[in-house]
Amino acid sequence: CRFYVLGGAEETPKPEPKPEPTDKEATIAEILAAAKDLEDKAKLEGKYKVTGKVTEVTGAYSDQYKNVTFIITDGTNTLECFRAKGDEAANVAANDTVVLVGEIQKYGEKIQLVNGQIESRKAENAGTTVKDVLDAAKDLEDKAKLEA
């Protein structure tokens, strides 16, 4: 659509700027409360940013897909982080504190953070990750053992 100003130059209207999407910061308890009545496989609108302590890595890091599945807690509630990605995905271990952004979805009776991106990870233990062990074991000869 073009507009003409009488006696002046042609003007093209400028499109309205689209608002930038924002992540909703929420606690695990707030996420669980908001998602409890979702239908199976339904998602909350938008993306959520959540912080928690890793209690367990339930799906080992995948070199192929560059993701890992784990459970985080706030000390009372837990949330499964399904196939989270990010620079720190291969290093996630129990007791780490992580900050993630992702979508919230109900899957069966579980509420999960899906399509998640690990924004930060603070290692709380000096333990060895599964990836560390697998990398070290690659070069072992048959029936050889890793030393502690």
Side-chain angles (χ1 to χ4, degrees):
C1 179
R2 295 181 190 258
F3 296 97
Y4 293 93
V5 178
L6 294 176
E10 169 183 337
E11 275 188 37
T12 303
K14 294 180 183 168
E16 298 256 344
K18 292 183 180 177
E20 289 294 316
T22 56
D23 302 325
K24 301 170 190 145
E25 286 199 43
T27 65
I28 294 172
E30 291 167 338
I31 288 169
L32 296 176
K36 70 179 170 130
D37 294 328
L38 286 174
E39 297 291 324
D40 188 32
K41 297 189 178 94
K43 294 180 183 177
L44 291 177
E45 188 174 317
K47 291 191 176 191
Y48 286 76
K49 183 175 189 173
V50 63
T51 301
K53 188 171 189 166
V54 177
T55 61
E56 180 182 6
V57 176
T58 56
Y61 176 76
S62 166
D63 276 327
Q64 180 180 2
Y65 298 108
K66 309 286 188 232
N67 64 33
V68 62
T69 298
F70 52 92
I71 296 172
I72 60 172
T73 186
D74 58 10
T76 304
N77 304 289
T78 60
L79 179 67
E80 182 177 49
C81 303
F82 184 72
R83 295 185 179 166
K85 295 183 175 193
D87 293 340
E88 290 289 339
N91 301 314
V92 170
N95 296 319
D96 289 352
T97 299
V98 292
V99 177
L100 300 106
V101 173
E103 298 172 307
I104 304 302
Q105 176 177 348
K106 189 167 189 179
Y107 186 76
E109 294 302 311
K110 286 191 221 177
I111 296 179
Q112 302 174 317
L113 184 136
V114 298
N115 301 320
Q117 188 69 27
I118 300 168
E119 287 197 342
S120 68
R121 173 187 152 266
K122 181 180 177 192
E124 295 294 332
N125 61 359
T128 305
T129 66
V130 172
K131 186 174 183 329
D132 293 336
V133 173
L134 293 175
D135 287 345
K138 275 193 270 188
D139 299 325
L140 287 176
E141 292 183 28
D142 190 34
K143 298 186 182 179
K145 296 180 182 177
L146 286 176
E147 293 188 25

